Amino acid sequence: MTALSQEEVINNTKTVVQGLETLQNEHHQILNSLLSSMKTIKRENGDTNLVEEKSNILKKSLELIDLGLGESQVMMALANHLQYVEAEKQKLRAQVRRLCQENAWLRDELANTQQRLQHSEQQVATLEEERKHLEFMNEMKKYDSDSVSEKDVEKDSDTSSQDLNLGFPDDDDVGPEVLSPTQPSAMAQAASGGYEIPARLRTLHNLVIQYASQGRYEVAVPLCKQALEDLEKTSGHDHPDVATMLNILALVYRDQGKYKEAANLLNDALGIREKTLGPDHPAVAATLNNLAVLYGKRGKYKEAEPLCKRALLIREKVLGKDHPDVAKQLNNLALLCQNQGKYEEVEQYYQRALEIYETKLGPDDPNVAKTKNNLASAYLKQGKYKQAESLYKEVLTRAHEKEFGKVNSENKPIWMQAEEREENKMEKVKRTSVMEITEDGIVLPKWTGRFCRSLRAAPLCPTVTTTLKNLSALYRRQGKYEAAETLEECAMRSRRTHEKSELNVSAASK
């Protein structure tokens, strides 16, 4: 006899149940009929034994039928339960297979994590060695005997800023102006939007700047490349730290005159910062500014202008329209426009920058004098000599009042004394009688002595010295040779005093 399947057993059981229910109904009908007949026979006093016997047989049959129906119901319940158990078994088997797969995956992940942990520990050890090396080199640079290359005093740049200057060369002897690059250390201060330059990169930046300023590119470039390679291995290429390192290496290439390589690096850094920090982050503005300055240095003013304008918009959005960094960006944008002959825009940008500096930093801030010098240079290139002369005189008057007090008939700024000398030209003998020879052998007018002798204590800031030379050049254009000579002599004295100060600082640091 072949074994029946579970489904066949259930179907046969249902058929049996239906048959038993039919048989039960028939037995009930017969039993009711017998009971009626038995009541009739009893009323007629007949013999009921046979009927009672049949009735008893039917009752036993009904009991057996009820028992069969009960067993059938139990079998149906068991069949349903078996179906549920089978379904649960299939689910459990599927879960077991999934857990086995997950277990294998977790084992692989554990092995990979252990490998990465081991690699990270090796990197930490390497970085610790590099940190110790950088700290050592940072200490050693204090004792480096190579002197830092001297910057041209004529450039109207801030000597207290970073050594690597991205300004382009001036094409006019009067009023040199430079573009101001944004260095990585300055970016760290501006990047308050969630990203800050790590301290180790700032330390590396300072070390690279030190080497580059000494012309030791054979040390600075490999140092940058090694740091960049390590950062890409640990953090991946698309990381803000990698962008910062690209900026630093670009500055070194720019200082070497490798403008194409520097531009490629800055474009790469710009893409990374836009992707990781967002298009309106201060660090993006810094990279845009550096790229614009680089293009300007190569004479690509049209390509540089939109970059500079975008950097300006970002700084205005993040820092506010009256922030000093916005004024710095306006100065850069003005110079780019000036090199394209857009003098109307140039004047607007310089005037707005000047207003910001005077409002936020005060009239004595060096940036005020610088911006006035730059605006005066723009006036000169348009032939607006009176406006330029007025600005130069404002710078010198402010410097005089800061040093000697309010201007009056007995306390006149150097330009007033120079013009008085021009107006009161004397014979050669008389002129000699009012001259004096300084300790350095420089011949100076006696009435300029007070101003120039003050330089013994401290030199003028580079901006004031530049203003002296610019105004003297303007006087020469106007044929005021005596006045021009007076200002040139004071500028010469300031430069010599500045050189002595630099030598003293250099000697003290050795």
Side-chain angles (χ1 to χ4, degrees):
M1 183 176 180
T2 60
L4 298 176
S5 66
Q6 184 176 343
E7 186 176 357
E8 290 175 342
V9 171
I10 292 174
N11 290 333
N12 291 339
T13 302
K14 288 180 179 179
T15 303
V16 171
V17 168
Q18 291 176 355
L20 288 174
E21 288 177 347
T22 302
L23 185 61
Q24 186 183 40
N25 291 332
E26 291 176 354
H27 276 58
H28 277 297
Q29 291 175 358
I30 295 171
L31 181 60
N32 291 333
S33 177
L34 287 174
L35 290 176
S36 299
S37 300
M38 190 170 59
K39 289 179 181 179
T40 303
I41 293 171
K42 284 183 179 180
R43 281 197 301 270
E44 295 177 356
N45 296 319
D47 187 6
T48 61
N49 291 331
L50 180 60
V51 176
E52 288 179 354
E53 184 179 353
K54 291 180 178 179
S55 297
N56 291 331
I57 293 171
L58 285 172
K59 288 179 179 179
K60 289 182 179 178
S61 296
L62 284 170
E63 289 177 357
L64 293 174
I65 290 172
D66 289 338
L67 180 62
L69 287 171
E71 290 178 350
S72 297
Q73 291 174 354
V74 170
M75 289 181 66
M76 292 288 291
L78 286 173
N80 291 332
H81 180 68
L82 285 173
Q83 286 182 344
Y84 173 77
V85 170
E86 184 65 25
E88 288 297 315
K89 184 172 69 173
Q90 294 298 328
K91 290 181 181 179
L92 290 173
R93 284 177 178 173
Q95 289 181 355
V96 168
R97 286 194 297 270
R98 190 181 73 253
L99 289 173
C100 290
Q101 293 174 352
E102 290 179 356
N103 185 47
W105 179 79
L106 288 173
R107 287 179 182 275
D108 293 338
E109 282 295 307
L110 179 60
N112 292 334
T113 303
Q114 288 175 340
Q115 290 179 355
R116 288 197 297 269
L117 177 60
Q118 185 178 3
H119 181 62
S120 297
E121 289 175 348
Q122 294 174 352
Q123 289 181 331
V124 167
T126 303
L127 289 173
E128 182 65 22
E129 290 297 324
E130 291 179 358
R131 184 185 66 82
K132 291 179 180 179
H133 172 70
L134 290 175
E135 288 178 351
F136 171 76
M137 295 301 295
N138 197 32
E139 290 295 326
M140 287 298 294
K141 72 178 182 180
K142 297 178 181 178
Y143 307 100
D144 201 323
S145 58
D146 293 337
S147 60
V148 179
S149 58
E150 182 180 350
K151 297 296 178 181
D152 187 359
V153 182
E154 296 304 316
K155 289 186 178 179
D156 190 15
S157 58
D158 187 356
T159 55
S160 63
S161 64
Q162 298 294 340
D163 294 26
L164 288 183
N165 194 321
L166 284 183
F168 13 96
D170 187 35
D171 57 359
D172 194 315
D173 291 337
V174 180
E177 59 280 327
V178 294
L179 284 181
S180 302
T182 304
Q183 301 288 357
S185 58
M187 296 174 206
Q189 298 174 0
S192 57
Y195 170 67
E196 185 175 345
I197 306 297
R200 60 190 176 86
L201 288 188
R202 288 198 294 269
T203 302
L204 178 62
H205 166 256
N206 293 334
L207 185 60
V208 169
I209 294 300
Q210 178 73 9
Y211 284 137
S213 65
Q214 298 170 0
R216 298 168 65 182
Y217 301 111
E218 73 283 357
V219 179
V221 173
L223 189 61
C224 286
K225 288 184 175 180
Q226 183 61 50
L228 181 61
E229 182 181 348
D230 293 342
L231 281 173
E232 288 180 329
K233 286 181 180 178
T234 56
S235 305
H237 183 70
D238 293 337
H239 192 276
D241 290 352
V242 173
T244 300
M245 199 63 239
L246 289 170
N247 266 275
I248 295 173
L249 183 55
L251 292 178
V252 177
Y253 279 152
R254 186 271 308 155
D255 201 47
Q256 289 181 279
K258 298 179 179 179
Y259 300 132
K260 185 177 180 180
E261 293 86 343
N264 292 336
L265 292 176
L266 287 174
N267 277 307
D268 193 7
L270 178 62
I272 294 173
R273 282 182 164 168
E274 288 178 329
K275 180 178 180 181
T276 57
L277 303 176
D280 295 332
H281 195 277
V284 173
T287 306
L288 285 168
N289 182 68
N290 283 348
L291 191 56
V293 170
L294 188 62
Y295 283 154
K297 196 171 180 66
R298 299 170 67 185
K300 297 183 177 181
Y301 306 120
K302 290 184 179 180
E303 292 88 340
E305 184 179 349
L307 298 175
C308 200
K309 285 184 176 179
R310 185 183 164 199
L312 175 62
L313 291 175
I314 294 174
R315 293 189 192 278
E316 288 178 334
K317 181 178 180 180
V318 176
L319 305 174
K321 292 189 175 182
D322 57 349
H323 194 278
D325 284 354
V326 172
K328 184 177 181 181
Q329 198 69 53
L330 286 166
N331 264 297
N332 286 357
L333 185 54
L335 184 54
L336 288 172
C337 291
Q338 181 171 313
N339 281 282
Q340 299 176 70
K342 301 178 180 179
Y343 292 109
E344 185 177 348
E345 295 180 38
V346 171
E347 292 181 17
Q348 292 177 357
Y349 292 140
Y350 278 143
Q351 287 167 358
R352 185 182 163 200
L354 184 59
E355 182 181 353
I356 294 173
Y357 281 138
E358 288 179 332
T359 303
K360 291 297 180 180
L361 303 180
D364 292 329
D365 187 80
N367 289 296
V368 173
K370 290 180 190 177
T371 306
K372 285 184 177 180
N373 260 292
N374 291 343
L375 180 55
S377 176
Y379 284 147
L380 286 176
K381 291 184 178 182
Q382 299 177 75
K384 298 179 179 180
Y385 300 119
K386 289 185 178 180
Q387 292 94 321
E389 182 178 346
S390 176
L391 287 174
Y392 289 142
K393 289 178 179 179
E394 285 179 14
V395 173
L396 295 178
T397 301
R398 192 69 191 179
H400 182 90
E401 288 180 339
K402 186 178 179 181
E403 185 70 24
F404 304 113
K406 190 174 181 180
V407 173
N408 53 47
S409 59
E410 301 296 328
N411 183 29
K412 298 178 182 180
I414 185 64
W415 65 267
M416 284 187 181
Q417 299 176 37
E419 289 190 350
E420 286 180 0
R421 181 184 178 189
E422 180 67 32
E423 292 172 2
N424 300 296
K425 291 181 180 179
M426 302 178 183
E427 301 170 352
K428 188 174 181 181
V429 176
K430 289 184 178 180
R431 180 186 167 197
T432 306
S433 65
V434 293
M435 303 297 284
E436 65 178 1
I437 301 177
T438 66
E439 296 174 356
D440 299 328
I442 301 176
V443 180
L444 295 175
K446 287 184 178 179
W447 50 75
T448 63
R450 183 185 180 194
F451 183 83
C452 293
R453 278 195 296 272
S454 66
L455 300 176
R456 295 175 185 174
L460 298 173
C461 74
T463 302
V464 176
T465 304
T466 299
T467 306
L468 287 169
K469 292 190 68 65
N470 291 346
L471 184 55
S472 69
L474 181 56
Y475 280 157
R476 286 193 179 276
R477 286 186 180 183
Q478 298 172 347
K480 300 178 181 179
Y481 300 109
E482 296 290 334
E485 184 180 345
T486 302
L487 298 185
E488 287 171 355
E489 288 166 347
C490 282
M492 186 185 301
R493 180 60 182 272
S494 175
R495 170 172 287 189
R496 290 199 177 187
T497 307
H498 178 77
E499 290 173 352
K500 285 184 178 180
S501 177
E502 288 292 319
L503 288 174
N504 291 336
V505 171
S506 178
S509 63
K510 289 184 180 180

